[in-house]
Amino acid sequence: MNQRILFLGPPGAGKGTQAERLAASRNLLHLSTGELLRAEVAAGSALGDEAEAVMARGELVSDSLVLAIVRARLACCSGGWLLDGFPRNLAQAKALQQLLEEIGQPIELVVLLALDDETLVQRLLSRGRADDNEVVIRNRLIVYRDQTEPLIAFYSAQGLLTSVAASGTVEAIAERISAVVG
Ligand code: AP5
């Protein structure tokens, strides 16, 4: 069974929704950098203060800050894990690869959740999180295309990537993911 999994996909594709379900059913550590950053903002920590304005614009928080968060969590995890929302650019992907080599836990599968832009925007507008207004959502999509999408080629070249259609009901998508995770 694949136990070290990465979810890739645009904002609103359902990474968080599906990651929560899969992690619960397979007893995996679910690591969402977005959730971890929002917790820091809510706690009013120095890290949260640094991240807040960047997140409100839909830009990416600095690699060093995000990497420090992930490194601390993965280093103490001996079981399986599911990364959601990380890595977000090639620098993060390369740093992750190095970290995973150091701890002997290579990625086994990258699942790309694919969905058209208009459905993404509609889903996010219905949710209404602090960074879910139309201007910021469009910027998050631009940032995704510019910085995160190149990871598709990066992981494809390593034979790790599989794409799943992220349209339809949460249950239907969960079944598709389950089928590829095995
Ligand atoms: P992050 O929290 O990762 O947000 P995101 O990638 O923009 O993704 P979302 O949470 O918006 O969408 P999702 O794909 O998880 O979908 P979800 O399941 O929630 O990042 C937020 C910010 O933090 C970034 O902009 C950046 O500033 C910063 N950040 C985070 N990680 C970083 C990193 N590694 N480096 C630098 N900065 C980083 O679903 C969306 C909505 O749709 C929900 O309301 C859900 O209920 C609904 N929904 C889900 N599935 C369905 C379905 N099948 N049908 C109908 N509705 C559905």
Side-chain angles (χ1 to χ4, degrees):
M1 186 197 290
N2 296 299
Q3 287 205 305
R4 293 188 295 273
I5 303 166
L6 197 154
F7 274 7
L8 195 62
K15 302 180 297 296
T17 305
Q18 296 296 336
E20 204 178 311
R21 287 177 69 117
L22 189 68
S25 69
R26 307 207 175 205
N27 199 24
L28 306 175
L29 171 73
H30 174 199
L31 232 171
S32 157
T33 44
E35 288 298 326
L36 292 168
L37 289 166
R38 279 185 289 279
E40 296 288 342
V41 172
S45 67
L47 195 154
D49 286 348
E50 191 182 330
E52 189 170 17
V54 180
M55 294 171 78
R57 289 195 302 273
E59 307 289 340
L60 295 185
V61 173
S62 78
D63 293 342
S64 57
L65 201 156
V66 174
L67 278 162
I69 294 179
V70 173
R71 177 177 281 275
R73 296 220 166 32
L74 280 185
C76 62
C77 169
S78 54
W81 40 254
L82 175 46
L83 296 183
D84 150 24
F86 175 87
R88 284 292 239 270
N89 58 28
L90 274 172
Q92 290 184 9
K94 288 176 183 169
L96 174 66
Q97 200 162 30
Q98 194 181 341
L99 166 64
L100 296 179
E101 274 167 24
E102 279 168 27
I103 60 177
Q105 296 187 25
I107 295 170
E108 290 171 308
L109 181 71
V110 178
V111 178
L112 171 67
L113 296 182
L115 193 62
D116 65 278
D117 282 8
E118 286 323 303
T119 311
L120 297 170
V121 174
Q122 286 318 311
R123 279 189 191 174
L124 295 176
L125 286 175
S126 315
R127 178 174 62 183
R129 202 169 71 193
D131 56 347
D132 284 342
N133 66 73
E134 183 141 11
V135 173
V136 176
I137 292 169
R138 297 273 175 206
N139 193 35
R140 282 158 61 199
L141 283 170
I142 291 169
V143 170
Y144 174 77
R145 303 281 175 235
D146 284 354
Q147 302 197 44
T148 311
E149 222 168 43
L151 299 185
I152 295 174
F154 179 79
Y155 287 118
S156 289
Q158 297 180 37
L160 291 172
L161 190 112
T162 187
S163 182
V164 166
S167 55
T169 64
V170 169
E171 287 68 27
I173 300 160
E175 278 175 26
R176 282 174 217 145
I177 293 172
S178 227
V180 300
V181 168

mmCIF file with all atom_site columns, all heavy atoms in Angstrom, residues 26-53:
data_model
loop_
_atom_site.group_PDB
_atom_site.id
_atom_site.type_symbol
_atom_site.label_atom_id
_atom_site.label_alt_id
_atom_site.label_comp_id
_atom_site.label_asym_id
_atom_site.label_entity_id
_atom_site.label_seq_id
_atom_site.pdbx_PDB_ins_code
_atom_site.Cartn_x
_atom_site.Cartn_y
_atom_site.Cartn_z
_atom_site.occupancy
_atom_site.B_iso_or_equiv
_atom_site.pdbx_formal_charge
_atom_site.auth_seq_id
_atom_site.auth_comp_id
_atom_site.auth_asym_id
_atom_site.auth_atom_id
_atom_site.pdbx_PDB_model_num
ATOM 1   N N   . ARG A 1 26 ? -6.819 5.592  6.441  1.00 0.00 ? 26 ARG A N   1
ATOM 2   C CA  . ARG A 1 26 ? -5.581 4.788  6.342  1.00 0.00 ? 26 ARG A CA  1
ATOM 3   C C   . ARG A 1 26 ? -4.593 5.097  7.448  1.00 0.00 ? 26 ARG A C   1
ATOM 4   O O   . ARG A 1 26 ? -3.432 4.686  7.385  1.00 0.00 ? 26 ARG A O   1
ATOM 5   C CB  . ARG A 1 26 ? -4.926 5.032  5.000  1.00 0.00 ? 26 ARG A CB  1
ATOM 6   C CG  . ARG A 1 26 ? -5.945 4.801  3.893  1.00 0.00 ? 26 ARG A CG  1
ATOM 7   C CD  . ARG A 1 26 ? -5.348 4.401  2.615  1.00 0.00 ? 26 ARG A CD  1
ATOM 8   N NE  . ARG A 1 26 ? -6.428 4.096  1.687  1.00 0.00 ? 26 ARG A NE  1
ATOM 9   C CZ  . ARG A 1 26 ? -6.318 3.302  0.674  1.00 0.00 ? 26 ARG A CZ  1
ATOM 10  N NH1 . ARG A 1 26 ? -5.191 2.699  0.435  1.00 0.00 ? 26 ARG A NH1 1
ATOM 11  N NH2 . ARG A 1 26 ? -7.334 3.078  -0.135 1.00 0.00 ? 26 ARG A NH2 1
ATOM 12  N N   . ASN A 1 27 ? -5.055 5.857  8.415  1.00 0.00 ? 27 ASN A N   1
ATOM 13  C CA  . ASN A 1 27 ? -4.209 6.164  9.570  1.00 0.00 ? 27 ASN A CA  1
ATOM 14  C C   . ASN A 1 27 ? -2.885 6.826  9.172  1.00 0.00 ? 27 ASN A C   1
ATOM 15  O O   . ASN A 1 27 ? -1.809 6.416  9.606  1.00 0.00 ? 27 ASN A O   1
ATOM 16  C CB  . ASN A 1 27 ? -3.961 4.881  10.378 1.00 0.00 ? 27 ASN A CB  1
ATOM 17  C CG  . ASN A 1 27 ? -3.504 5.191  11.780 1.00 0.00 ? 27 ASN A CG  1
ATOM 18  O OD1 . ASN A 1 27 ? -3.787 6.270  12.292 1.00 0.00 ? 27 ASN A OD1 1
ATOM 19  N ND2 . ASN A 1 27 ? -2.764 4.272  12.382 1.00 0.00 ? 27 ASN A ND2 1
ATOM 20  N N   . LEU A 1 28 ? -2.993 7.848  8.324  1.00 0.00 ? 28 LEU A N   1
ATOM 21  C CA  . LEU A 1 28 ? -1.811 8.587  7.879  1.00 0.00 ? 28 LEU A CA  1
ATOM 22  C C   . LEU A 1 28 ? -1.767 9.937  8.585  1.00 0.00 ? 28 LEU A C   1
ATOM 23  O O   . LEU A 1 28 ? -2.819 10.509 8.914  1.00 0.00 ? 28 LEU A O   1
ATOM 24  C CB  . LEU A 1 28 ? -1.872 8.835  6.361  1.00 0.00 ? 28 LEU A CB  1
ATOM 25  C CG  . LEU A 1 28 ? -2.062 7.616  5.468  1.00 0.00 ? 28 LEU A CG  1
ATOM 26  C CD1 . LEU A 1 28 ? -2.235 8.051  4.013  1.00 0.00 ? 28 LEU A CD1 1
ATOM 27  C CD2 . LEU A 1 28 ? -0.891 6.666  5.607  1.00 0.00 ? 28 LEU A CD2 1
ATOM 28  N N   . LEU A 1 29 ? -0.582 10.450 8.782  1.00 0.00 ? 29 LEU A N   1
ATOM 29  C CA  . LEU A 1 29 ? -0.437 11.813 9.281  1.00 0.00 ? 29 LEU A CA  1
ATOM 30  C C   . LEU A 1 29 ? -0.819 12.761 8.145  1.00 0.00 ? 29 LEU A C   1
ATOM 31  O O   . LEU A 1 29 ? -0.230 12.689 7.068  1.00 0.00 ? 29 LEU A O   1
ATOM 32  C CB  . LEU A 1 29 ? 1.016  12.061 9.697  1.00 0.00 ? 29 LEU A CB  1
ATOM 33  C CG  . LEU A 1 29 ? 1.377  13.507 10.045 1.00 0.00 ? 29 LEU A CG  1
ATOM 34  C CD1 . LEU A 1 29 ? 0.785  13.897 11.387 1.00 0.00 ? 29 LEU A CD1 1
ATOM 35  C CD2 . LEU A 1 29 ? 2.898  13.682 10.076 1.00 0.00 ? 29 LEU A CD2 1
ATOM 36  N N   . HIS A 1 30 ? -1.808 13.627 8.378  1.00 0.00 ? 30 HIS A N   1
ATOM 37  C CA  . HIS A 1 30 ? -2.224 14.597 7.354  1.00 0.00 ? 30 HIS A CA  1
ATOM 38  C C   . HIS A 1 30 ? -1.532 15.920 7.649  1.00 0.00 ? 30 HIS A C   1
ATOM 39  O O   . HIS A 1 30 ? -1.783 16.543 8.668  1.00 0.00 ? 30 HIS A O   1
ATOM 40  C CB  . HIS A 1 30 ? -3.747 14.762 7.394  1.00 0.00 ? 30 HIS A CB  1
ATOM 41  C CG  . HIS A 1 30 ? -4.266 15.835 6.486  1.00 0.00 ? 30 HIS A CG  1
ATOM 42  N ND1 . HIS A 1 30 ? -5.504 16.411 6.633  1.00 0.00 ? 30 HIS A ND1 1
ATOM 43  C CD2 . HIS A 1 30 ? -3.714 16.447 5.399  1.00 0.00 ? 30 HIS A CD2 1
ATOM 44  C CE1 . HIS A 1 30 ? -5.694 17.328 5.693  1.00 0.00 ? 30 HIS A CE1 1
ATOM 45  N NE2 . HIS A 1 30 ? -4.623 17.369 4.934  1.00 0.00 ? 30 HIS A NE2 1
ATOM 46  N N   . LEU A 1 31 ? -0.682 16.322 6.724  1.00 0.00 ? 31 LEU A N   1
ATOM 47  C CA  . LEU A 1 31 ? 0.084  17.557 6.934  1.00 0.00 ? 31 LEU A CA  1
ATOM 48  C C   . LEU A 1 31 ? -0.328 18.587 5.883  1.00 0.00 ? 31 LEU A C   1
ATOM 49  O O   . LEU A 1 31 ? 0.040  18.465 4.717  1.00 0.00 ? 31 LEU A O   1
ATOM 50  C CB  . LEU A 1 31 ? 1.565  17.209 6.765  1.00 0.00 ? 31 LEU A CB  1
ATOM 51  C CG  . LEU A 1 31 ? 2.496  17.637 7.882  1.00 0.00 ? 31 LEU A CG  1
ATOM 52  C CD1 . LEU A 1 31 ? 3.860  17.035 7.679  1.00 0.00 ? 31 LEU A CD1 1
ATOM 53  C CD2 . LEU A 1 31 ? 2.568  19.118 7.960  1.00 0.00 ? 31 LEU A CD2 1
ATOM 54  N N   . SER A 1 32 ? -1.116 19.577 6.306  1.00 0.00 ? 32 SER A N   1
ATOM 55  C CA  . SER A 1 32 ? -1.541 20.644 5.399  1.00 0.00 ? 32 SER A CA  1
ATOM 56  C C   . SER A 1 32 ? -0.808 21.918 5.794  1.00 0.00 ? 32 SER A C   1
ATOM 57  O O   . SER A 1 32 ? -1.025 22.444 6.893  1.00 0.00 ? 32 SER A O   1
ATOM 58  C CB  . SER A 1 32 ? -3.061 20.850 5.512  1.00 0.00 ? 32 SER A CB  1
ATOM 59  O OG  . SER A 1 32 ? -3.411 22.157 5.096  1.00 0.00 ? 32 SER A OG  1
ATOM 60  N N   . THR A 1 33 ? 0.039  22.426 4.917  1.00 0.00 ? 33 THR A N   1
ATOM 61  C CA  . THR A 1 33 ? 0.788  23.639 5.279  1.00 0.00 ? 33 THR A CA  1
ATOM 62  C C   . THR A 1 33 ? -0.161 24.838 5.408  1.00 0.00 ? 33 THR A C   1
ATOM 63  O O   . THR A 1 33 ? 0.054  25.708 6.248  1.00 0.00 ? 33 THR A O   1
ATOM 64  C CB  . THR A 1 33 ? 1.919  23.937 4.267  1.00 0.00 ? 33 THR A CB  1
ATOM 65  O OG1 . THR A 1 33 ? 1.439  23.765 2.943  1.00 0.00 ? 33 THR A OG1 1
ATOM 66  C CG2 . THR A 1 33 ? 3.105  23.056 4.509  1.00 0.00 ? 33 THR A CG2 1
ATOM 67  N N   . GLY A 1 34 ? -1.241 24.857 4.616  1.00 0.00 ? 34 GLY A N   1
ATOM 68  C CA  . GLY A 1 34 ? -2.217 25.940 4.740  1.00 0.00 ? 34 GLY A CA  1
ATOM 69  C C   . GLY A 1 34 ? -2.836 25.940 6.136  1.00 0.00 ? 34 GLY A C   1
ATOM 70  O O   . GLY A 1 34 ? -2.933 26.977 6.798  1.00 0.00 ? 34 GLY A O   1
ATOM 71  N N   . GLU A 1 35 ? -3.259 24.747 6.607  1.00 0.00 ? 35 GLU A N   1
ATOM 72  C CA  . GLU A 1 35 ? -3.871 24.641 7.945  1.00 0.00 ? 35 GLU A CA  1
ATOM 73  C C   . GLU A 1 35 ? -2.872 25.030 9.025  1.00 0.00 ? 35 GLU A C   1
ATOM 74  O O   . GLU A 1 35 ? -3.219 25.715 9.992  1.00 0.00 ? 35 GLU A O   1
ATOM 75  C CB  . GLU A 1 35 ? -4.360 23.198 8.204  1.00 0.00 ? 35 GLU A CB  1
ATOM 76  C CG  . GLU A 1 35 ? -5.597 22.800 7.420  1.00 0.00 ? 35 GLU A CG  1
ATOM 77  C CD  . GLU A 1 35 ? -6.811 23.662 7.774  1.00 0.00 ? 35 GLU A CD  1
ATOM 78  O OE1 . GLU A 1 35 ? -6.938 24.080 8.933  1.00 0.00 ? 35 GLU A OE1 1
ATOM 79  O OE2 . GLU A 1 35 ? -7.619 23.950 6.872  1.00 0.00 ? 35 GLU A OE2 1
ATOM 80  N N   . LEU A 1 36 ? -1.648 24.561 8.875  1.00 0.00 ? 36 LEU A N   1
ATOM 81  C CA  . LEU A 1 36 ? -0.626 24.871 9.890  1.00 0.00 ? 36 LEU A CA  1
ATOM 82  C C   . LEU A 1 36 ? -0.361 26.376 9.934  1.00 0.00 ? 36 LEU A C   1
ATOM 83  O O   . LEU A 1 36 ? -0.229 26.964 11.009 1.00 0.00 ? 36 LEU A O   1
ATOM 84  C CB  . LEU A 1 36 ? 0.663  24.098 9.606  1.00 0.00 ? 36 LEU A CB  1
ATOM 85  C CG  . LEU A 1 36 ? 0.544  22.576 9.793  1.00 0.00 ? 36 LEU A CG  1
ATOM 86  C CD1 . LEU A 1 36 ? 1.760  21.858 9.218  1.00 0.00 ? 36 LEU A CD1 1
ATOM 87  C CD2 . LEU A 1 36 ? 0.388  22.241 11.267 1.00 0.00 ? 36 LEU A CD2 1
ATOM 88  N N   . LEU A 1 37 ? -0.328 27.007 8.766  1.00 0.00 ? 37 LEU A N   1
ATOM 89  C CA  . LEU A 1 37 ? -0.096 28.456 8.728  1.00 0.00 ? 37 LEU A CA  1
ATOM 90  C C   . LEU A 1 37 ? -1.288 29.214 9.320  1.00 0.00 ? 37 LEU A C   1
ATOM 91  O O   . LEU A 1 37 ? -1.108 30.175 10.075 1.00 0.00 ? 37 LEU A O   1
ATOM 92  C CB  . LEU A 1 37 ? 0.168  28.918 7.288  1.00 0.00 ? 37 LEU A CB  1
ATOM 93  C CG  . LEU A 1 37 ? 1.525  28.492 6.707  1.00 0.00 ? 37 LEU A CG  1
ATOM 94  C CD1 . LEU A 1 37 ? 1.558  28.694 5.195  1.00 0.00 ? 37 LEU A CD1 1
ATOM 95  C CD2 . LEU A 1 37 ? 2.654  29.277 7.364  1.00 0.00 ? 37 LEU A CD2 1
ATOM 96  N N   . ARG A 1 38 ? -2.513 28.758 9.007  1.00 0.00 ? 38 ARG A N   1
ATOM 97  C CA  . ARG A 1 38 ? -3.690 29.435 9.578  1.00 0.00 ? 38 ARG A CA  1
ATOM 98  C C   . ARG A 1 38 ? -3.712 29.287 11.100 1.00 0.00 ? 38 ARG A C   1
ATOM 99  O O   . ARG A 1 38 ? -4.127 30.197 11.812 1.00 0.00 ? 38 ARG A O   1
ATOM 100 C CB  . ARG A 1 38 ? -4.989 28.889 8.951  1.00 0.00 ? 38 ARG A CB  1
ATOM 101 C CG  . ARG A 1 38 ? -5.286 29.515 7.585  1.00 0.00 ? 38 ARG A CG  1
ATOM 102 C CD  . ARG A 1 38 ? -6.624 29.078 7.014  1.00 0.00 ? 38 ARG A CD  1
ATOM 103 N NE  . ARG A 1 38 ? -6.612 27.697 6.579  1.00 0.00 ? 38 ARG A NE  1
ATOM 104 C CZ  . ARG A 1 38 ? -6.118 27.279 5.411  1.00 0.00 ? 38 ARG A CZ  1
ATOM 105 N NH1 . ARG A 1 38 ? -5.621 28.141 4.558  1.00 0.00 ? 38 ARG A NH1 1
ATOM 106 N NH2 . ARG A 1 38 ? -6.139 26.003 5.099  1.00 0.00 ? 38 ARG A NH2 1
ATOM 107 N N   . ALA A 1 39 ? -3.236 28.156 11.610 1.00 0.00 ? 39 ALA A N   1
ATOM 108 C CA  . ALA A 1 39 ? -3.173 27.974 13.072 1.00 0.00 ? 39 ALA A CA  1
ATOM 109 C C   . ALA A 1 39 ? -2.181 28.958 13.683 1.00 0.00 ? 39 ALA A C   1
ATOM 110 O O   . ALA A 1 39 ? -2.420 29.515 14.759 1.00 0.00 ? 39 ALA A O   1
ATOM 111 C CB  . ALA A 1 39 ? -2.776 26.525 13.392 1.00 0.00 ? 39 ALA A CB  1
ATOM 112 N N   . GLU A 1 40 ? -1.078 29.198 12.983 1.00 0.00 ? 40 GLU A N   1
ATOM 113 C CA  . GLU A 1 40 ? -0.082 30.168 13.480 1.00 0.00 ? 40 GLU A CA  1
ATOM 114 C C   . GLU A 1 40 ? -0.672 31.585 13.473 1.00 0.00 ? 40 GLU A C   1
ATOM 115 O O   . GLU A 1 40 ? -0.456 32.357 14.406 1.00 0.00 ? 40 GLU A O   1
ATOM 116 C CB  . GLU A 1 40 ? 1.187  30.137 12.620 1.00 0.00 ? 40 GLU A CB  1
ATOM 117 C CG  . GLU A 1 40 ? 1.961  28.830 12.648 1.00 0.00 ? 40 GLU A CG  1
ATOM 118 C CD  . GLU A 1 40 ? 2.689  28.590 13.977 1.00 0.00 ? 40 GLU A CD  1
ATOM 119 O OE1 . GLU A 1 40 ? 2.891  29.553 14.737 1.00 0.00 ? 40 GLU A OE1 1
ATOM 120 O OE2 . GLU A 1 40 ? 3.044  27.431 14.251 1.00 0.00 ? 40 GLU A OE2 1
ATOM 121 N N   . VAL A 1 41 ? -1.421 31.899 12.409 1.00 0.00 ? 41 VAL A N   1
ATOM 122 C CA  . VAL A 1 41 ? -2.056 33.222 12.341 1.00 0.00 ? 41 VAL A CA  1
ATOM 123 C C   . VAL A 1 41 ? -3.049 33.371 13.493 1.00 0.00 ? 41 VAL A C   1
ATOM 124 O O   . VAL A 1 41 ? -3.053 34.383 14.205 1.00 0.00 ? 41 VAL A O   1
ATOM 125 C CB  . VAL A 1 41 ? -2.785 33.416 10.979 1.00 0.00 ? 41 VAL A CB  1
ATOM 126 C CG1 . VAL A 1 41 ? -3.602 34.699 10.966 1.00 0.00 ? 41 VAL A CG1 1
ATOM 127 C CG2 . VAL A 1 41 ? -1.771 33.426 9.826  1.00 0.00 ? 41 VAL A CG2 1
ATOM 128 N N   . ALA A 1 42 ? -3.873 32.328 13.718 1.00 0.00 ? 42 ALA A N   1
ATOM 129 C CA  . ALA A 1 42 ? -4.887 32.395 14.782 1.00 0.00 ? 42 ALA A CA  1
ATOM 130 C C   . ALA A 1 42 ? -4.232 32.528 16.151 1.00 0.00 ? 42 ALA A C   1
ATOM 131 O O   . ALA A 1 42 ? -4.765 33.201 17.046 1.00 0.00 ? 42 ALA A O   1
ATOM 132 C CB  . ALA A 1 42 ? -5.763 31.140 14.731 1.00 0.00 ? 42 ALA A CB  1
ATOM 133 N N   . ALA A 1 43 ? -3.072 31.909 16.316 1.00 0.00 ? 43 ALA A N   1
ATOM 134 C CA  . ALA A 1 43 ? -2.369 31.961 17.608 1.00 0.00 ? 43 ALA A CA  1
ATOM 135 C C   . ALA A 1 43 ? -1.643 33.288 17.795 1.00 0.00 ? 43 ALA A C   1
ATOM 136 O O   . ALA A 1 43 ? -1.171 33.586 18.896 1.00 0.00 ? 43 ALA A O   1
ATOM 137 C CB  . ALA A 1 43 ? -1.388 30.793 17.699 1.00 0.00 ? 43 ALA A CB  1
ATOM 138 N N   . GLY A 1 44 ? -1.528 34.061 16.719 1.00 0.00 ? 44 GLY A N   1
ATOM 139 C CA  . GLY A 1 44 ? -0.846 35.355 16.820 1.00 0.00 ? 44 GLY A CA  1
ATOM 140 C C   . GLY A 1 44 ? 0.650  35.216 17.040 1.00 0.00 ? 44 GLY A C   1
ATOM 141 O O   . GLY A 1 44 ? 1.286  36.121 17.615 1.00 0.00 ? 44 GLY A O   1
ATOM 142 N N   . SER A 1 45 ? 1.231  34.096 16.584 1.00 0.00 ? 45 SER A N   1
ATOM 143 C CA  . SER A 1 45 ? 2.678  33.894 16.756 1.00 0.00 ? 45 SER A CA  1
ATOM 144 C C   . SER A 1 45 ? 3.453  34.799 15.789 1.00 0.00 ? 45 SER A C   1
ATOM 145 O O   . SER A 1 45 ? 2.876  35.340 14.831 1.00 0.00 ? 45 SER A O   1
ATOM 146 C CB  . SER A 1 45 ? 3.046  32.430 16.468 1.00 0.00 ? 45 SER A CB  1
ATOM 147 O OG  . SER A 1 45 ? 2.844  32.167 15.100 1.00 0.00 ? 45 SER A OG  1
ATOM 148 N N   . ALA A 1 46 ? 4.761  34.907 16.014 1.00 0.00 ? 46 ALA A N   1
ATOM 149 C CA  . ALA A 1 46 ? 5.600  35.721 15.134 1.00 0.00 ? 46 ALA A CA  1
ATOM 150 C C   . ALA A 1 46 ? 5.530  35.167 13.708 1.00 0.00 ? 46 ALA A C   1
ATOM 151 O O   . ALA A 1 46 ? 5.437  35.916 12.724 1.00 0.00 ? 46 ALA A O   1
ATOM 152 C CB  . ALA A 1 46 ? 7.041  35.711 15.635 1.00 0.00 ? 46 ALA A CB  1
ATOM 153 N N   . LEU A 1 47 ? 5.539  33.848 13.624 1.00 0.00 ? 47 LEU A N   1
ATOM 154 C CA  . LEU A 1 47 ? 5.452  33.184 12.319 1.00 0.00 ? 47 LEU A CA  1
ATOM 155 C C   . LEU A 1 47 ? 4.112  33.513 11.635 1.00 0.00 ? 47 LEU A C   1
ATOM 156 O O   . LEU A 1 47 ? 4.049  33.804 10.442 1.00 0.00 ? 47 LEU A O   1
ATOM 157 C CB  . LEU A 1 47 ? 5.574  31.679 12.587 1.00 0.00 ? 47 LEU A CB  1
ATOM 158 C CG  . LEU A 1 47 ? 5.849  30.708 11.480 1.00 0.00 ? 47 LEU A CG  1
ATOM 159 C CD1 . LEU A 1 47 ? 6.548  29.486 12.070 1.00 0.00 ? 47 LEU A CD1 1
ATOM 160 C CD2 . LEU A 1 47 ? 4.579  30.301 10.804 1.00 0.00 ? 47 LEU A CD2 1
ATOM 161 N N   . GLY A 1 48 ? 3.045  33.478 12.433 1.00 0.00 ? 48 GLY A N   1
ATOM 162 C CA  . GLY A 1 48 ? 1.716  33.803 11.905 1.00 0.00 ? 48 GLY A CA  1
ATOM 163 C C   . GLY A 1 48 ? 1.634  35.239 11.429 1.00 0.00 ? 48 GLY A C   1
ATOM 164 O O   . GLY A 1 48 ? 1.053  35.527 10.378 1.00 0.00 ? 48 GLY A O   1
ATOM 165 N N   . ASP A 1 49 ? 2.250  36.140 12.189 1.00 0.00 ? 49 ASP A N   1
ATOM 166 C CA  . ASP A 1 49 ? 2.245  37.554 11.796 1.00 0.00 ? 49 ASP A CA  1
ATOM 167 C C   . ASP A 1 49 ? 2.939  37.732 10.446 1.00 0.00 ? 49 ASP A C   1
ATOM 168 O O   . ASP A 1 49 ? 2.510  38.500 9.596  1.00 0.00 ? 49 ASP A O   1
ATOM 169 C CB  . ASP A 1 49 ? 2.972  38.417 12.844 1.00 0.00 ? 49 ASP A CB  1
ATOM 170 C CG  . ASP A 1 49 ? 2.116  38.573 14.100 1.00 0.00 ? 49 ASP A CG  1
ATOM 171 O OD1 . ASP A 1 49 ? 0.922  38.219 14.044 1.00 0.00 ? 49 ASP A OD1 1
ATOM 172 O OD2 . ASP A 1 49 ? 2.662  39.010 15.131 1.00 0.00 ? 49 ASP A OD2 1
ATOM 173 N N   . GLU A 1 50 ? 4.029  36.979 10.275 1.00 0.00 ? 50 GLU A N   1
ATOM 174 C CA  . GLU A 1 50 ? 4.787  37.078 9.018  1.00 0.00 ? 50 GLU A CA  1
ATOM 175 C C   . GLU A 1 50 ? 3.964  36.532 7.851  1.00 0.00 ? 50 GLU A C   1
ATOM 176 O O   . GLU A 1 50 ? 4.007  37.059 6.741  1.00 0.00 ? 50 GLU A O   1
ATOM 177 C CB  . GLU A 1 50 ? 6.099  36.279 9.176  1.00 0.00 ? 50 GLU A CB  1
ATOM 178 C CG  . GLU A 1 50 ? 7.080  36.510 8.050  1.00 0.00 ? 50 GLU A CG  1
ATOM 179 C CD  . GLU A 1 50 ? 8.350  35.661 8.210  1.00 0.00 ? 50 GLU A CD  1
ATOM 180 O OE1 . GLU A 1 50 ? 8.751  35.355 9.355  1.00 0.00 ? 50 GLU A OE1 1
ATOM 181 O OE2 . GLU A 1 50 ? 8.922  35.289 7.175  1.00 0.00 ? 50 GLU A OE2 1
ATOM 182 N N   . ALA A 1 51 ? 3.201  35.475 8.110  1.00 0.00 ? 51 ALA A N   1
ATOM 183 C CA  . ALA A 1 51 ? 2.472  34.798 7.029  1.00 0.00 ? 51 ALA A CA  1
ATOM 184 C C   . ALA A 1 51 ? 1.153  35.492 6.659  1.00 0.00 ? 51 ALA A C   1
ATOM 185 O O   . ALA A 1 51 ? 0.700  35.404 5.519  1.00 0.00 ? 51 ALA A O   1
ATOM 186 C CB  . ALA A 1 51 ? 2.183  33.351 7.441  1.00 0.00 ? 51 ALA A CB  1
ATOM 187 N N   . GLU A 1 52 ? 0.547  36.169 7.610  1.00 0.00 ? 52 GLU A N   1
ATOM 188 C CA  . GLU A 1 52 ? -0.850 36.617 7.439  1.00 0.00 ? 52 GLU A CA  1
ATOM 189 C C   . GLU A 1 52 ? -1.080 37.468 6.182  1.00 0.00 ? 52 GLU A C   1
ATOM 190 O O   . GLU A 1 52 ? -1.977 37.184 5.381  1.00 0.00 ? 52 GLU A O   1
ATOM 191 C CB  . GLU A 1 52 ? -1.306 37.373 8.688  1.00 0.00 ? 52 GLU A CB  1
ATOM 192 C CG  . GLU A 1 52 ? -2.802 37.664 8.647  1.00 0.00 ? 52 GLU A CG  1
ATOM 193 C CD  . GLU A 1 52 ? -3.324 38.196 9.985  1.00 0.00 ? 52 GLU A CD  1
ATOM 194 O OE1 . GLU A 1 52 ? -2.497 38.633 10.825 1.00 0.00 ? 52 GLU A OE1 1
ATOM 195 O OE2 . GLU A 1 52 ? -4.557 38.160 10.166 1.00 0.00 ? 52 GLU A OE2 1
ATOM 196 N N   . ALA A 1 53 ? -0.277 38.509 6.013  1.00 0.00 ? 53 ALA A N   1
ATOM 197 C CA  . ALA A 1 53 ? -0.511 39.428 4.884  1.00 0.00 ? 53 ALA A CA  1
ATOM 198 C C   . ALA A 1 53 ? -0.239 38.725 3.555  1.00 0.00 ? 53 ALA A C   1
ATOM 199 O O   . ALA A 1 53 ? -0.944 38.961 2.556  1.00 0.00 ? 53 ALA A O   1
ATOM 200 C CB  . ALA A 1 53 ? 0.388  40.652 5.019  1.00 0.00 ? 53 ALA A CB  1
#
